Amino acid sequence: MRCLAPRPAGSYLSEPQGSSQCAIMEVGPLEGGYLELLNSDADPLCLYHFYDQMDLAGEEEIELYSEPDTDTINCDQFSRLLCDIEGDEETREAYANIAELDQYVFQDSQLEGLSKDIFIEHIGPDEVIGESMEMPAEVGQKSQKRPFPEELPADLKHWKPVPSSSSSLSCLNLPEGPIQFVPTISTLPHGLWQISGAGTEVSSIFIYHGEVPQASQVPPPSGLTVHGLPTSPDRPGSTSPFAPSATDLPSMPEPALTSRANMTEHKTSPTQCQAAGEVSNKLPKWPEPVEQFYRSLQDTYGAEPAGRDGILVEVDLVRARLERSSSKSLERELATPDWAERQLAQGGLAEVLLADKEHRRPRETRVIAVLGKAGQGKSYWAGAVSRAWACGRLPQYDFVFSVPCHCLNRPGDAYGLQDLLFSLGPQPLVAADEVFSHILKRPDRVLLILDAFEELEAQDGFLHSTCGPAPAEPCSLRGLLAGLFQKKLLRGCTLLLTARPRGRLVQSLSKADALFELSGFSMEQAQAYVMRYFESSGMTEHQDRALTLLRDRPLLLSHSHSPTLCRAVCQLSEALLELGEDAKLPSTLTGLYVGLLGRAALNSPPGALAELAKLAWELGRRHQSTLQEDQFPSADVRTWAMAKGLVQHPPGAAESELAFPSFLLQCFLGALWLALSGEIKDKELPQYLALTPRKKRPYDNWLEGVPRFLAGLIFQPRARCLGALVGPSATALADRKQKVLARYLKRLQPGTLRARQLLELLHCAHEAEEAGIWQHVVQELPARLSFLGTRLTPPDAHVLGKALEAAGRDFSLDLRSTGICPSGLGSLVGLSCVTRFRAALSDTVVLWESLRQHGETKLLQAAEEKFTIEPFKAKSLKDVEDLGKLVQTQRTRSSSEDTAGELPAVRDLKKLEFALGPISGPQTFPKLVQILTAFSSLQHLDLDALSENKIGDEGVSQLSATFPQLKSLETLNLSQNNITDLGAYKLAEALPSLAASLLRLSLYNNCICDVGAESLARVLPDMVSLRVMDVQYNKFTAAGAQQLAASLRRCPHVETLAMWTPTIPFSVQEHLQQQDSRISLR
């Protein structure tokens, strides 16, 4: 396959000589291969006619017309053909030939003086230079704009090329990335394909498939006459029969379809150049129905949220990753990164999608998942992406469709892809069949947003369900979604999912190409939201007072990291400030929602709040948050709920569809129903606190906020809690339920609960505000609390701190892999009852630096003294680097005049393990050796790993140099490290430095032969403190074993020498053991 392109934008046309003259194409001899063809003076137009293998020497004239060839296939046929040959070997070979041509040309020494022009009339020298391509200076001076047919006299039908010193053919360097075939060209002759390459700014490239005739087939220079190309009447601005019309190529870039009229032959004004640049950035020309649908879709998504819904405070979008839930399970959960190692995605979702364009492969569906807890603003940001597209900030997409997943839980099997895009959303779209056909031609220009993915039923089976083979074939909605996730339907589109992570992720999310997580508000962002809320309400005089109210309630301040809860706090603060100056916010979440709903319940129809609570609970059991108007028990209840804002129409939803304004409000109403209902048996009530194993729970805790609200509603005083909502008469059942829950909570043993369940128990006890329950929980806390691998949010850190203070005892905390924020870590470390703590090294160093910058000397000193890393296991390069930063911090601290002495974490480290495996181990071990001498109290150095570190002889040599400084080392494990005789020799030379301290030495499963065994035997008598030595599974023979046994007889202090190895005859080993029972053969 040969790659040809139009001639570069240079002046190679002679001045018009008249209408009767013909252009004489001088084709020189084309001998050899690629290089001679590219250096020849042959015009590309001549080569275009080689496809039919005609004898040009016998032809006087050749006329080209725009009528299609009889062998031309239509668009659908060509599309199917491309699908059939996608995995074909010949196709891959054709692409390899193009790459071979590129490499051959630009690495040939004969081309050093040639111009690297690209034969594309829409790219000028400046743009080529901008693409980092080399171009001699003289080329830029001689290159002029190629005249277009509209610029020539009307009677000019022939043209004659002017001989040029530069090559008339060059090679287009196709970069890495997708090459798009344009299958709708009905006028291309057989053997010519037109493609466009992303990133090349190339409007059209022609690939000639077949053999180029040899030089013998080319006629003499004077024997070939080529007519001028007639202008096609339905293709304005194009004289080539190969140029498709706008209707043929609806997705063709604009420069390839734009007429270049009103331009002079040899000069172009700056204004015209600027206009051409603007035209190149415009949307492609589409049929009128497609244009109308595009504009209507922009109007649908372009509306900005009104009022307080439009308050925007940017939150951090963090790149997420998955990890296995356990070593024995294949299920994957969302990993918890350390605070300092979080990878922030700058610019929000719209910018992430814009940057993701460069990582896409051709015809590959891209799945992007955005995860976050309830109330973190996932749906808001999904709407922000739609608005960004409507405003033109996502130019890589022609169409965006946003569909809430609750709309897809419908029965039936008569749905098609057209229904999913146009009919099943909250706002049905009117689109003609031509629009749908246009979308199918360019699926890579489509973004499909599926919001609230957790509301879909049976999500696990999408990757394995069957789907229809063609978009037009009707099937169930489940089959449509399966086709999208299996990348069979709308192949090449982008799927953007928003979901709430709960435990293990379903396969549809775990297989996503990119995962992001919304982290919520920081303290500063929460306070900024409060200021903007009161500014939008016209109550700027209450801004400072509202912030004071929030700061007086640390729990609510910590909960304000959730945008939904931050807004709820603002709503209640607004209502309280309107009443008077002595306003105070409640101290619990339950009190917050009681305050919000209390005023709404005063003027409600009888039993309306209880009926709404029952409806919320039933929807939650079905994993739903939306409902229809006819689901309300009465019109009065519906009218009241809508008037008080307890339910509302979702943005863009149908008139009959309603939803709760927030997930936490639905949780509160569900808990209210559990507290009031007589349908729930007393013995079943404790199970709804979600503190028992999953198999004993009657439901899956989808309404995850219910346990805390239930404890608050049951135990808080009736007058200001449950009674304020439904009246004293309706709370009779709550007294009996209170006794049941109190008995259950006081029987629990917090020390037996998992970390996540323990935190939930602390939250429930705090919400209850019942002294007996709180004291029981905090007094039963174990002295050593480990939250390893359990995410700690700001509310978790606050409640944990209050419980530790109330206990009145000393605690040791393990806060590794919790993702705790620096402020939360500082608040826990500063407690006098916390005597020791472990946290991520990177997070701890960040905390120390922050305290040092803020001048908090006492807290900094406490944080340094309480921090410990004992024992430390390095499992990655990051662990070793973080350990190096800790040592560097100590060295900086020791050299300072203000402080003196070692860091306790470094000074007191006694056990260090290194387990990076055979690839990273040898590369990272030298970095560990550089800091090893800083650990003066190190007693146990374990370099053995299941995957084998393989530090080798070089690593042993480096380690041996540190022995004089490791005065306390008692255990040295060098097993499975690919140590040979050379490493054993280096080790034996350095071991006397450890003679006074080393108790155990292991060289198990290495490659030590007789020479190495002799080196170890020679040094063994000098190791006066050595008690156990293990050299099993090495390569030494009976000779080496006898030397070790002989040396052992001079070492009465050695208790065990394990040296069984398959290279020693068993009879020899038995004989040696009979001579000395300290020799172990196990």
Side-chain angles (χ1 to χ4, degrees), residues 111-312:
L111 291 180
E112 293 181 358
L114 297 179
S115 169
K116 301 264 186 6
D117 294 347
I118 300 179
F119 293 119
I120 304 164
E121 64 181 7
H122 301 297
I123 297 182
D126 296 337
E127 292 172 305
V128 174
I129 295 175
E131 294 292 336
S132 302
M133 298 184 64
E134 298 180 2
M135 175 178 290
E138 59 272 13
V139 174
Q141 296 172 359
K142 293 190 296 181
S143 177
Q144 297 179 1
K145 202 68 177 179
R146 176 180 177 177
F148 291 90
E150 295 85 351
E151 305 167 12
L152 299 177
D155 59 344
L156 181 60
K157 296 183 179 179
H158 306 285
W159 52 271
K160 178 180 180 180
V162 177
S164 173
S165 60
S166 64
S167 173
S168 62
L169 279 182
S170 183
C171 179
L172 174 62
N173 186 7
L174 297 178
E176 295 182 2
I179 296 179
Q180 175 195 349
F181 285 82
V182 184
T184 56
I185 304 175
S186 60
T187 59
L188 283 180
H190 181 70
L192 280 173
W193 286 355
Q194 183 178 6
I195 65 172
S196 61
T200 64
E201 302 295 334
V202 178
S203 62
S204 60
I205 308 168
F206 290 96
I207 296 182
Y208 179 80
H209 186 72
E211 295 296 331
V212 176
Q214 299 299 320
S216 60
Q217 296 178 278
V218 181
S222 60
L224 176 61
T225 303
V226 181
H227 278 285
L229 301 178
T231 302
S232 178
D234 61 337
R235 291 168 172 79
S238 173
T239 61
S240 172
F242 306 140
S245 65
T247 57
D248 292 332
L249 297 178
S251 299
M252 196 71 175
E254 183 70 16
L257 306 176
T258 305
S259 174
R260 301 292 190 92
N262 302 324
M263 297 177 65
T264 58
E265 181 177 351
H266 294 295
K267 63 181 180 179
T268 304
S269 66
T271 305
Q272 291 170 328
C273 293
Q274 182 179 2
E278 294 174 355
V279 168
S280 65
N281 294 325
K282 289 182 180 179
L283 291 170
K285 291 182 178 179
W286 292 333
E288 185 59 28
V290 179
E291 288 281 359
Q292 291 178 357
F293 178 78
Y294 172 80
R295 289 192 293 267
S296 66
L297 203 59
Q298 279 187 316
D299 296 338
T300 301
Y301 294 129
E304 291 288 343
R308 295 167 183 173
D309 293 334
I311 301 176
L312 176 63

Side-chain angles (χ1 to χ4, degrees), residues 651-855:
E655 294 184 0
S656 61
E657 187 175 354
L658 296 170
F660 295 99
S662 72
F663 178 75
L664 285 177
L665 176 59
Q666 184 180 2
C667 291
F668 179 81
L669 291 173
L672 179 61
W673 168 249
L674 290 178
L676 298 176
S677 174
E679 301 176 9
I680 306 298
K681 297 180 180 180
D682 294 344
K683 63 179 181 181
E684 295 178 354
L685 190 64
Q687 299 177 2
Y688 291 99
L689 291 181
L691 301 176
T692 54
R694 182 180 296 272
K695 63 181 179 180
K696 295 183 180 180
R697 251 182 263 158
Y699 77 114
D700 60 358
N701 196 29
W702 191 79
L703 294 174
E704 54 191 19
V706 163
R708 305 178 191 182
F709 286 131
L710 178 60
L713 289 170
I714 291 294
F715 287 101
Q716 288 189 20
R718 297 285 182 268
R720 60 181 176 87
C721 187
L722 199 58
L725 293 175
V726 295
S729 60
T731 62
L733 290 175
D735 295 335
R736 189 172 70 245
K737 294 179 179 181
Q738 185 183 53
K739 295 179 182 179
V740 174
L741 286 183
R743 185 166 57 249
Y744 168 75
L745 291 175
K746 290 181 179 180
R747 288 179 180 176
L748 283 178
Q749 297 179 0
T752 63
L753 299 179
R754 296 179 179 178
R756 186 71 261 167
Q757 295 171 338
L758 177 60
L759 289 172
E760 194 64 35
L761 175 61
L762 292 176
H763 279 287
C764 291
H766 185 272
E767 288 292 326
E769 291 188 334
E770 208 277 331
I773 295 177
W774 179 253
Q775 286 299 321
H776 166 75
V777 171
V778 299
Q779 291 299 327
E780 294 294 327
L781 289 175
R784 299 181 63 180
L785 289 171
S786 175
F787 299 94
L788 178 65
T790 301
R791 183 163 302 197
L792 289 179
T793 62
D796 294 334
H798 173 78
V799 172
L800 177 61
K802 289 200 64 176
L804 297 179
E805 281 185 307
R809 295 180 288 114
D810 291 341
F811 291 93
S812 173
L813 300 180
D814 188 351
L815 304 175
R816 292 174 294 169
S817 299
T818 60
I820 188 171
C821 63
S823 60
L825 179 60
S827 63
L828 291 176
V829 169
L831 297 176
S832 59
C833 59
V834 176
T835 57
R836 296 173 68 86
F837 79 96
R838 291 198 69 174
L841 285 175
S842 54
D843 290 350
T844 306
V845 172
V846 170
L847 174 63
W848 290 346
E849 291 297 328
S850 176
L851 296 176
R852 185 177 291 108
Q853 292 175 3
H854 290 84

Side-chain angles (χ1 to χ4, degrees), residues 905-934:
V906 177
R907 180 194 62 209
D908 299 335
L909 180 64
K910 293 181 173 57
K911 183 176 181 180
L912 176 60
E913 297 181 57
F914 181 83
L916 268 73
I919 298 178
S920 302
Q923 302 173 0
T924 310
F925 186 69
K927 297 183 179 181
L928 179 65
V929 172
Q930 294 175 3
I931 60 175
L932 205 55
T933 56

Side-chain angles (χ1 to χ4, degrees), residues 1004 1030 1032-1033 1056 1058-1060 1069 1073 1079-1082:
Y1004 172 87
D1030 188 351
Q1032 294 184 96
Y1033 286 94
T1056 303
M1059 65 173 187
W1060 186 93
Q1069 297 186 56
Q1073 187 183 36
I1079 296 178
S1080 174
L1081 301 181
R1082 293 184 297 175

